[in-house]
Amino acid sequence: QLGVLELLSKVALASSSVRAGGLWSYLVFFLSPGTWSKFFNSGHLGADGWMWFIWMLLIIGGLLLALLFAAVVSQGAIVYSAAKYAKRESAFPDDAEAWHKGVGHFWRLLSLNLLRKFVFILMALLVLWSTVNALVEPSGFDIVLFFMVFILSSLVGMVVSFLLVYAVAYVVVEEYSFGRALSSAWKLFLGHWMVSFEVGFLLVLTNIVVLVLAMGALVYFFLLPVLLGTFLAQAFGSLVLFK
């Protein structure tokens, strides 16, 4: 979905809770030397305890790497399948074929996604700085600066999200290198920037509509049996049915 909704949620989270959004605060916490010194000095695990602790870290790290690998490869497989679907007129390629295409482009796809995440973190930190600046002895200019930074960060993040999708398509479908894919994606965006923002806006609007409909469906799904059961309990005077 172009990653637009993810960007807006991260920027909004950074401005509302004075954090850089996502797992950034947890990452800083776990990478802090003070955190680990307190952990090592807090208790005595013993040799077997340390062995199980290290084994647990290896398992968690392996699961995270496996999840990252599956996510990146799946992105390439989806793009490849979509391209084949468009060319063959409603005919999807074999799952194994699409998966292997994603595996073959893993490192370039991973680099593109890491670049987008890096830009997202920079945008969130920029919004974080403007938020703190607007909260500590704010002036009229600080408030205006915050809104300018917020809008600018959102626009830059949206452009980067569009470029990622285009670059991934160039890598998977056209077999472009990392640099050539980024260059071609930028040229494609410049030629169709209005369409890109229109699609991004429609996707955000669709997400909102689907969320509202899903919430309404859940309320209806859970509330209707309660109303029906209450009506029948009153009609038959059954305390058991009411309960």
Side-chain angles (χ1 to χ4, degrees):
Q1 301 183 42
L2 298 181
V4 177
L5 202 64
E6 176 192 358
L7 163 76
L8 296 178
S9 62
K10 286 183 179 296
V11 173
L13 182 64
S15 62
S16 62
S17 59
V18 197
R19 307 196 279 138
L23 299 175
W24 178 254
S25 58
Y26 298 102
L27 183 63
V28 172
F29 174 78
F30 281 111
L31 293 181
S32 172
T35 302
W36 289 101
S37 63
K38 290 180 181 179
F39 171 77
F40 288 124
N41 296 329
S42 61
H44 303 283
L45 296 178
D48 56 340
W50 281 112
M51 183 180 68
W52 282 111
F53 176 71
I54 295 174
W55 183 240
M56 180 192 69
L57 291 181
L58 291 175
I59 292 176
I60 294 176
L63 289 174
L64 291 176
L65 290 176
L67 189 62
L68 174 66
F69 177 80
V72 174
V73 171
S74 297
Q75 183 186 42
I78 290 173
V79 171
Y80 176 77
S81 300
K84 289 295 183 181
Y85 180 85
K87 291 179 180 178
R88 295 180 183 176
E89 298 181 356
S90 305
F92 284 110
D94 181 67
D95 294 340
E97 178 187 352
W99 176 264
H100 286 298
K101 282 291 182 179
V103 172
H105 301 90
F106 173 77
W107 290 110
R108 279 176 285 176
L109 296 179
L110 177 63
S111 301
L112 290 172
N113 281 278
L114 289 178
L115 180 61
R116 183 181 73 109
K117 289 289 185 183
F118 177 72
V119 174
F120 275 20
I121 291 176
L122 288 182
M123 294 300 101
L125 288 175
L126 188 60
V127 173
L128 174 66
W129 169 81
S130 64
T131 304
V132 174
N133 185 59
L135 291 176
V136 180
E137 298 183 358
S139 62
F141 175 76
D142 293 330
I143 303 298
V144 174
L145 179 64
F146 164 75
F147 284 107
M148 291 177 59
V149 170
F150 187 90
I151 296 174
L152 180 63
S153 300
S154 301
L155 289 176
V156 171
M158 289 179 68
V159 171
V160 171
S161 298
F162 300 146
L163 293 179
L164 171 74
V165 175
Y166 302 155
V168 166
Y170 277 119
V171 166
V172 175
V173 181
E174 303 294 342
E175 299 288 346
Y176 283 5
S177 63
F178 178 83
R180 187 182 179 189
L182 284 178
S183 176
S184 301
W186 176 248
K187 293 178 182 178
L188 181 64
F189 171 75
L190 290 181
H192 305 279
W193 64 271
M194 180 64 74
V195 177
S196 299
F197 281 107
E198 287 176 355
V199 172
F201 173 76
L202 289 175
L203 285 174
V204 172
L205 186 63
T206 304
N207 274 277
I208 296 175
V209 171
V210 170
L211 179 62
V212 172
L213 291 177
M215 293 176 62
L218 285 175
V219 171
Y220 181 80
F221 178 78
F222 287 110
L223 189 60
L224 184 62
V226 175
L227 295 177
L228 183 62
T230 304
F231 173 76
L232 292 176
Q234 291 176 347
F236 292 101
S238 173
L239 182 61
V240 175
L241 184 58
F242 179 76
K243 289 182 179 180

